[in-house]
């Protein structure tokens, strides 16, 4: 039996069984055709069955699908690391691959801790994070996160000791640094857009101030751009605007075709590991890191992203969302708390989660796959979506609130 994610297995609705998918469309066994309005957990940025990515994977399959990176290396992983070095801002040049976003977050936190341990400092053991943060479902990722809906299990251990979570407000940030700077090794954030916490959006000024304080107290700044990377906020990467010391990428990295992630460090971090001393090496090595199929897919995905000018597509997606949802804002529906739009993400937050009960089925019957959670109904569309398809999604959203 399949144990499905985030579900009470006893009471969950049966999932839709997919038999085919192409472009923005998912085709189900019962003959339904739905627009995927959330890009398979925000990853499928080019849509399904992209022929170029498919061919890149097939070509690599005919050579080899995977070899370990311990003692071996290969062209797809070398090319991807070189591409990321060129493509990413600043001196984010040292790329550690892993198989999922959560693991890549774990790696970033291990790097930050060891950055200090390698300097003989064992006192910098804490991490500053944000309220409502989500960094994945592994244990340290849960600890630096702050989302009771995902992380409540940790309360069994008692109050957490390794992380401090603050709201996205500059006074709280300054106070946290004043009080805790001597024990912090890193600050980790989902920059500008906190996804699983409820598509919460905050101002770039907060990140600029965080960068200043991290510099002042030599605390490493980690951007978890697993969700925000590859254009989702309307920036290619938020790291283009404020430069972190460590950048974490996942989800859209392979265009959503194969699970893969990367933790990319700058020179300052890497230098503290560079030594004659084996004890200063980074002791981490996921079995499937640098998988050749994943790297081939990622290279092709980035090539398409650049060539097809995805940033202008994302700008258009944002404009259409603003236009289409304006009517809902004007209606002043008492059930709606706030409508938030940023780049390729739009969210309608309601007061009562019950307001969204039954919406998934309603949308599916109208040709849209959506998956609201808690009090959040949102879109994270594939960037290849047409205006007509976007209008269709938002019409279904608006029709729900006419009921
Ligand atoms: C999805 C997500 C992760 C976890 O990635 P997985 O590949 O699911 O392990 C981590 N951080 C953020 C911000 C995410 O949205």
């Amino acid at each position: 039996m399949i144990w499905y994610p985030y579900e009470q297995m006893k009471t969950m609705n049966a999932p839709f069984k997919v038999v085919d998918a192409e472009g923005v469309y998912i085709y189900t066994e019962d003959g339904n055709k739905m627009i995927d309005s959330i890009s398979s957990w925000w990853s499928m940025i080019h849509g399904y069955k992209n022929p170029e990515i498919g061919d890149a994977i097939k070509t690599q399959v005919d050579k080899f699908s995977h070899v370990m990176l311990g003692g071996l290396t290969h062209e797809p992983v070398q090319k991807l690391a070189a591409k990321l070095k060129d493509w990413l801002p600043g001196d984010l040049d040292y790329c550690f691959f892993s198989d999922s976003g959560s693991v890549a977050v774990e790696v970033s936190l291990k790097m930050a801790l060891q950055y200090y341990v390698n300097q003989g400092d064992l006192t910098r053991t804490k991490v500053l994070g944000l309220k409502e943060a989500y960094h994945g479902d592994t244990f340290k990722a849960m600890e630096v996160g702050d989302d009771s809906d995902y992380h409540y299990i940790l309360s069994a251990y008692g109050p957490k000791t390794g992380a401090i979570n603050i709201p996205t407000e500059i006074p709280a940030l300054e106070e946290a640094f004043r009080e805790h700077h001597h024990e912090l090794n890193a600050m980790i954030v989902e920059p500008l857009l906190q996804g699983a916490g409820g598509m919460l959006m905050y101002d770039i000024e907060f990140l600029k101030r965080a960068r200043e304080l991290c510099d002042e107290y030599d605390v490493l700044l980690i951007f978890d751009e697993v969700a925000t990377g590859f254009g989702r906020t309307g920036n290619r990467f938020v790291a283009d605007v404020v430069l972190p010391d460590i950048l974490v990428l996942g989800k859209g990295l392979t265009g959503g075709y194969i699970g893969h992630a990367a933790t990319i460090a700058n020179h300052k971090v890497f230098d503290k590991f560079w030594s004659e001393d084996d004890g200063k090496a980074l002791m981490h090595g996921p079995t499937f890191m640098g998988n050749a199929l994943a790297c081939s897919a990622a290279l092709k995905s980035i090539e398409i992203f650049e060539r097809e000018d995805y940033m202008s597509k994302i700008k258009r997606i944002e404009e259409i969302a603003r236009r289409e949802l304006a009517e809902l804002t004007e209606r002043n529906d008492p059930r709606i708390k706030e409508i938030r739009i940023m780049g390729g993400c739009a969210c309608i937050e309601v007061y009562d989660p019950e307001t969204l009960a039954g919406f998934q089925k309603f949308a599916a019957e109208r040709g849209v796959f959506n998956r609201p959670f808690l009090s959040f109904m949102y879109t994270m569309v594939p960037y290849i979506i047409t205006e007509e398809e976007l209008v269709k999604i938002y019409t279904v959203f608006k029709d729900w609130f006419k009921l």
Side-chain angles (χ1 to χ4, degrees), residues 6 41-42 99-105 134-138 141 190 193 195-196 224-228 248 250-251 260-261:
Y6 305 125
W41 267 334
W42 329 340
D99 32 28
S100 76
S102 304
V103 174
V105 165
Y134 176 86
H135 296 290
D137 294 335
T138 51
E190 295 160 90
L193 172 63
D224 174 358
E225 294 220 49
V226 171
T228 57
V248 185
K251 293 195 165 98
H260 223 63

Side-chain angles (χ1 to χ4, degrees), residues 84 87-88 95-105 223-230 236-239 246-254 260-264 302:
L84 290 171
W87 204 49
L88 296 173
C95 192
F96 190 96
F97 292 103
S98 55
D99 32 28
S100 76
S102 304
V103 174
V105 165
F223 277 7
D224 174 358
E225 294 220 49
V226 171
T228 57
F230 302 95
R236 201 181 56 139
F237 298 95
V238 183
I246 302 176
L247 175 65
V248 185
L249 300 177
K251 293 195 165 98
L253 176 64
T254 65
H260 223 63
T263 308
I264 304 138
I302 293 170

Side-chain angles (χ1 to χ4, degrees), residues 297-315:
L299 279 163
K300 188 53 76 177
S301 169
I302 293 170
E303 181 189 321
I304 299 168
F305 190 99
E306 284 186 288
R307 188 188 70 212
E308 304 292 327
D309 188 12
Y310 271 42
M311 293 316 299
S312 66
K313 289 185 200 289
I314 294 161
K315 192 156 176 278

Side-chain angles (χ1 to χ4, degrees), residues 72-348:
L72 300 173
T73 194
H74 53 85
E75 189 175 273
V77 75
Q78 288 176 330
K79 277 191 168 168
L80 180 57
K83 179 69 205 177
L84 290 171
K85 179 177 190 292
D86 275 1
W87 204 49
L88 296 173
D91 63 346
L92 291 164
D93 290 351
Y94 301 96
C95 192
F96 190 96
F97 292 103
S98 55
D99 32 28
S100 76
S102 304
V103 174
V105 165
E106 298 284 335
V107 171
S108 75
L109 296 168
K110 193 191 261 190
M111 277 179 185
L113 178 64
Q114 197 175 342
Y115 170 85
Y116 273 104
V117 172
N118 280 359
Q119 299 177 65
D121 185 342
L122 305 180
T123 64
R124 298 267 204 154
T125 54
K126 292 195 179 168
V127 176
L128 185 61
L130 300 180
K131 291 246 183 253
E132 310 300 332
Y134 176 86
H135 296 290
D137 294 335
T138 51
F139 271 78
K140 196 69 187 177
M142 282 199 286
E143 192 186 14
V144 299
D146 171 55
D147 191 320
S148 55
D149 296 297
Y150 299 93
H151 307 143
Y152 66 88
I153 181 74
L154 276 191
S155 61
Y157 290 125
K160 63 171 144 183
T161 53
I164 300 147
N165 296 85
I166 58 164
T168 51
E169 292 156 12
I170 290 176
L173 175 69
E174 291 175 340
E175 194 194 318
F177 269 90
R178 250 194 322 274
E179 216 172 296
H180 298 289
H181 65 87
H182 58 282
E183 52 183 354
L184 295 176
N185 58 58
M187 175 174 185
I188 186 167
V189 299
E190 295 160 90
L192 294 186
L193 172 63
Q194 297 183 279
M199 308 301 155
L200 304 168
M201 298 167 189
Y202 63 92
D203 200 81
I204 193 75
E205 292 308 318
F206 179 85
L207 295 175
K208 289 184 179 161
R209 187 72 186 118
R211 179 68 275 178
E212 286 172 3
L213 289 163
C214 284
D215 286 341
E216 190 177 336
Y217 294 108
D218 197 16
V219 171
L220 298 177
L221 183 59
I222 303 172
F223 277 7
D224 174 358
E225 294 220 49
V226 171
T228 57
F230 302 95
R232 195 53 76 182
T233 66
N235 304 285
R236 201 181 56 139
F237 298 95
V238 183
D240 289 328
V241 190
V242 172
L243 191 62
D245 299 296
I246 302 176
L247 175 65
V248 185
L249 300 177
K251 293 195 165 98
L253 176 64
T254 65
Y257 279 69
I258 304 178
H260 223 63
T263 308
I264 304 138
N266 68 6
H267 285 238
K268 176 175 141 172
V269 173
F270 184 78
D271 280 353
K272 294 288 181 277
F273 290 76
W274 180 260
S275 163
E276 302 293 328
D277 179 356
D278 285 350
K280 292 189 174 171
L282 179 63
M283 296 306 284
H284 212 97
T287 304
F288 293 108
M289 70 183 291
N291 173 270
L293 302 181
C295 292
S296 303
L299 279 163
K300 188 53 76 177
S301 169
I302 293 170
E303 181 189 321
I304 299 168
F305 190 99
E306 284 186 288
R307 188 188 70 212
E308 304 292 327
D309 188 12
Y310 271 42
M311 293 316 299
S312 66
K313 289 185 200 289
I314 294 161
K315 192 156 176 278
R316 209 187 96 265
I317 287 168
E318 176 170 352
E319 283 162 7
I320 295 168
R322 288 194 191 284
R323 186 190 74 206
E324 291 301 307
L325 290 173
E327 183 192 324
L328 208 49
T329 310
E330 282 153 24
R331 255 196 249 158
N332 275 324
D333 190 307
R335 294 166 293 182
I336 295 177
K337 186 171 173 190
E338 190 176 51
I339 299 180
R340 296 186 282 274
I341 300 167
M342 181 187 275
C345 173
C347 175
I348 300 170

